Amino acid sequence: MITASVENYLKAVYYLQEESGDVSTSKLSELLKIRPASVTGMIKKMAGINLLVYQPYRTIKLTAKGRREALKILRRHRLIESFLVEIMGLPWNRVHQEAEKWEHVVSDDVVERMAQLLGNPKHDPHGAPIPNKHGAVTPSKNISLAEFPVAVDGIIAEVDDKNAELLRYLAQNGIRPGVRLRIISVEAAGGVMTITVAGKKRILSEKAAHKVYISPRVGKQP
Amino acid sequence: MITASVENYLKAVYYLQEESGDVSTSKLSELLKIRPASVTGMIKKMAGINLLVYQPYRTIKLTAKGRREALKILRRHRLIESFLVEIMGLPWNRVHQEAEKWEHVVSDDVVERMAQLLGNPKHDPHGAPIPNKHGAVTPSKNISLAEFPVAVDGIIAEVDDKNAELLRYLAQNGIRPGVRLRIISVEAAGGVMTITVAGKKRILSEKAAHKVYISPRVGKQP
DNA sequence: TCAAATGTTTAGGTAAGACTAACATATTAA
DNA sequence: TTAATATGTTAGTCTTACCTAAACATTTGA
Ligand SMILES: [Mn+2]
Ligand SMILES: [Mn+2]
Ligand SMILES: [Mn+2]
Ligand SMILES: [Mn+2]
């Protein structure tokens, strides 16, 4: 059976697969904060119900079914976040935790009703792409702000949604998807950078910069 | 801890307490479709966390805390149903099952946000009263249509929401809270009654009549 | 080639809740 | 006032769905 726990593993496997290509027990263990031995157990269970293929000591890979299920949950999660922000008016730093719970209980057709009410959005409130009904996504090839060149205009594409505190801070400073941004200077020693966002100067930590992603299309308009 | 299961027991205890005054193991067992021995076990657990008081072989009664929690879940459930109908446009025969799942995961403040969006409704889509934020409810003293006198006008106050099939049927025949109704005749032998709803003649089974409730204020306006 | 890193197996634990069968108490009807 | 019936509890198990530490196995890469 696909329990809430299995759904969370699916999301994690999918995430790592996108991120780095190969998915390992230790990476899953670290991401999910679950001991490697437990991860192996769950992986075997999931292989048993055809969600992934796996050979001991070797790779972990989602099957077609597993990928479909993973994208389904991702779709739910992101649509729910969008719904909570757009329809219910919740702040964007509150919705990730709430969606983390809702995604395991909302019925398929209610999720689709949300999509309809929202006009089938392509991105969630943090800029992450929402897979379509058939499980197709355009994986975002964004560049982390921490790796972005200095003195080049960029458009914020996405921000990490896991840390509510950081999100609150980013919102306060106008750092959100769609906004133009430029790095003025990087003080590597101090671990901070100076940027301009919508014309205003801001200081951002190295750590925060890792959670902000810039669209790959180099925005060179004035 | 108040698990989903405990929440469901709380609702059941509250329901029986309202219904008939005394709550027993066997009644809970029947209502929840759980064996008496299991019910006793859960009751003891719930007594242990102060949700109810209980003496072996004697009565089961909610404590103040238990009543508060029960009303809180009832509020959630009914607000969620209202939300699903009013804001999301789901049919009223679909929302009970969905709310049964949501009620265990939606955060307090998101529920209150729903209430706000709905304008703090007093009744859910099936006519059941919604407890207020502080746990106050006006228990409805409605009369089952099965016990309602013949040839007297009545206003439908509430319909049972558990049976999706029946709800669909009732909706199709215009039988919903707020509508005026009158029993024309009762064919007790056949187990059916003839009624008029919004001017139209309808046949209703005895069984269905038990699930429809009429407002106690005798409506005698033309 | 062999130590370190990584992954798996084994054996066991927990939490939450359900069940049957045997027993205990209460209720009711003689 | 009994005794049969109904109702409720206890004891002992079971299930599901995880998770864990420790010991063992395999891979990897210096
Ligand atoms: Mn999220
Ligand atoms: Mn989740
Ligand atoms: Mn309901
Ligand atoms: Mn429920």
Side-chain angles (χ1 to χ4, degrees):
Chain A
M1 224 231 319
I2 297 189
T3 61
S5 195
V6 168
E7 289 183 341
N8 289 336
Y9 271 87
L10 278 174
K11 283 198 301 181
V13 173
Y14 179 85
Y15 172 80
L16 291 173
Q17 197 165 284
E18 291 303 289
E19 194 75 353
S20 53
D22 61 87
V23 182
S24 64
T25 303
S26 53
K27 279 184 192 165
L28 279 169
S29 170
E30 196 194 339
L31 182 60
L32 295 170
K33 314 261 179 258
I34 290 169
R35 297 277 155 266
S38 314
V39 171
T40 300
M42 186 57 119
I43 287 305
K44 284 169 74 174
K45 172 189 170 163
M46 289 170 71
I49 54 178
N50 254 302
L51 293 171
L52 37 81
V53 283
Y54 148 83
Q55 281 157 329
Y57 297 103
R58 292 297 178 180
T59 55
I60 293 163
K61 271 192 58 154
L62 290 171
T63 59
K65 181 184 169 198
R67 186 187 149 82
R68 208 160 47 236
E69 291 296 332
L71 285 164
K72 196 164 137 183
I73 299 150
L74 229 44
R75 174 171 170 80
R76 301 166 149 273
H77 181 96
R78 292 176 182 166
L79 280 171
I80 290 165
E81 285 188 348
S82 305
F83 181 84
L84 290 170
V85 167
E86 300 299 329
I87 310 286
M88 301 202 58
L90 296 194
W92 80 339
N93 61 325
R94 273 275 348 252
V95 301
H96 177 74
Q97 292 307 317
E98 191 77 12
E100 208 57 48
K101 296 186 294 170
W102 288 35
E103 67 188 2
H104 307 295
V105 306
V106 178
S107 307
D108 281 353
D109 55 343
V110 176
V111 170
E112 291 314 319
R113 177 66 186 146
M114 286 179 181
Q116 194 189 337
L117 287 170
L118 290 162
N120 295 296
K122 298 266 178 296
H123 297 272
D124 79 7
H126 314 101
I130 299 175
N132 77 11
K133 213 181 306 195
H134 311 291
V137 230
T138 330
S140 46
K141 293 267 181 290
N142 301 319
I143 302 133
S144 165
L145 183 56
E147 271 100 49
F148 198 69
V150 175
V152 174
D153 265 15
I155 304 286
I156 300 170
E158 189 174 345
V159 299
D160 185 283
D161 67 349
K162 311 291 182 296
N163 186 333
E165 263 313 292
L166 176 63
L167 279 182
R168 214 178 41 71
Y169 177 80
L170 293 179
Q172 225 158 29
N173 289 281
I175 299 169
R176 54 170 190 281
V179 169
R180 174 158 302 138
L181 168 155
R182 176 193 278 256
I183 302 177
I184 301 298
S185 66
V186 178
E187 286 90 310
V192 293
M193 58 171 62
T194 308
I195 61 177
T196 49
V197 186
K200 280 175 186 133
K201 232 172 237 180
R202 303 289 181 197
I203 306 288
L204 207 64
S205 76
E206 169 86 15
K207 203 175 159 208
H210 272 286
K211 308 289 189 179
V212 176
Y213 298 89
I214 308 300
S215 172
R217 290 181 308 94
V218 177
K220 246 322 177 31
Q221 307 98 310
Chain B
M1 223 230 319
I2 297 190
T3 61
S5 195
V6 168
E7 289 184 341
N8 289 336
Y9 270 86
L10 277 173
K11 283 200 300 182
V13 173
Y14 179 84
Y15 173 79
L16 291 174
Q17 196 164 284
E18 291 302 290
E19 192 75 353
S20 54
D22 61 88
V23 182
S24 64
T25 303
S26 53
K27 280 183 190 165
L28 279 170
S29 170
E30 197 195 336
L31 182 61
L32 294 169
K33 313 258 178 261
I34 291 170
R35 297 275 155 261
S38 314
V39 171
T40 300
M42 186 55 118
I43 287 305
K44 283 169 75 174
K45 174 191 170 163
M46 290 170 71
I49 54 178
N50 253 304
L51 292 171
L52 37 81
V53 283
Y54 149 81
Q55 281 158 327
Y57 297 104
R58 292 297 177 181
T59 55
I60 293 162
K61 271 192 59 154
L62 290 171
T63 59
K65 181 184 169 197
R67 187 188 149 81
R68 208 161 46 237
E69 291 297 333
L71 285 164
K72 195 164 138 181
I73 299 149
L74 229 44
R75 174 171 171 80
R76 299 165 152 275
H77 181 96
R78 292 176 181 166
L79 279 171
I80 290 165
E81 285 189 348
S82 304
F83 181 84
L84 290 170
V85 168
E86 301 298 330
I87 309 288
M88 301 201 58
L90 296 195
W92 80 338
N93 61 325
R94 275 271 352 250
V95 300
H96 177 75
Q97 293 307 317
E98 190 77 12
E100 207 58 47
K101 296 186 292 169
W102 288 35
E103 66 187 3
H104 307 295
V105 306
V106 179
S107 307
D108 280 353
D109 54 343
V110 176
V111 170
E112 292 313 319
R113 177 68 186 142
M114 286 179 181
Q116 195 189 337
L117 287 170
L118 290 162
N120 295 296
K122 298 267 178 295
H123 297 272
D124 79 8
H126 315 100
I130 299 175
N132 76 12
K133 213 182 306 194
H134 311 293
V137 231
T138 331
S140 46
K141 294 266 182 287
N142 301 320
I143 301 133
S144 165
L145 183 57
E147 271 101 49
F148 198 68
V150 175
V152 174
D153 266 15
I155 305 288
I156 301 170
E158 191 175 343
V159 299
D160 186 282
D161 67 350
K162 311 292 182 297
N163 186 333
E165 264 311 294
L166 175 63
L167 278 182
R168 213 178 39 72
Y169 176 79
L170 293 179
Q172 226 159 28
N173 288 282
I175 298 170
R176 55 170 190 280
V179 169
R180 175 158 302 138
L181 169 154
R182 178 194 278 254
I183 303 178
I184 301 298
S185 66
V186 177
E187 286 90 309
V192 293
M193 58 171 62
T194 308
I195 60 177
T196 50
V197 186
K200 279 175 188 135
K201 231 171 238 179
R202 303 290 183 198
I203 306 287
L204 207 66
S205 77
E206 169 87 16
K207 204 175 157 203
H210 273 288
K211 309 288 190 178
V212 176
Y213 298 90
I214 308 301
S215 171
R217 289 183 309 94
V218 178
K220 245 322 175 34
Q221 309 98 311

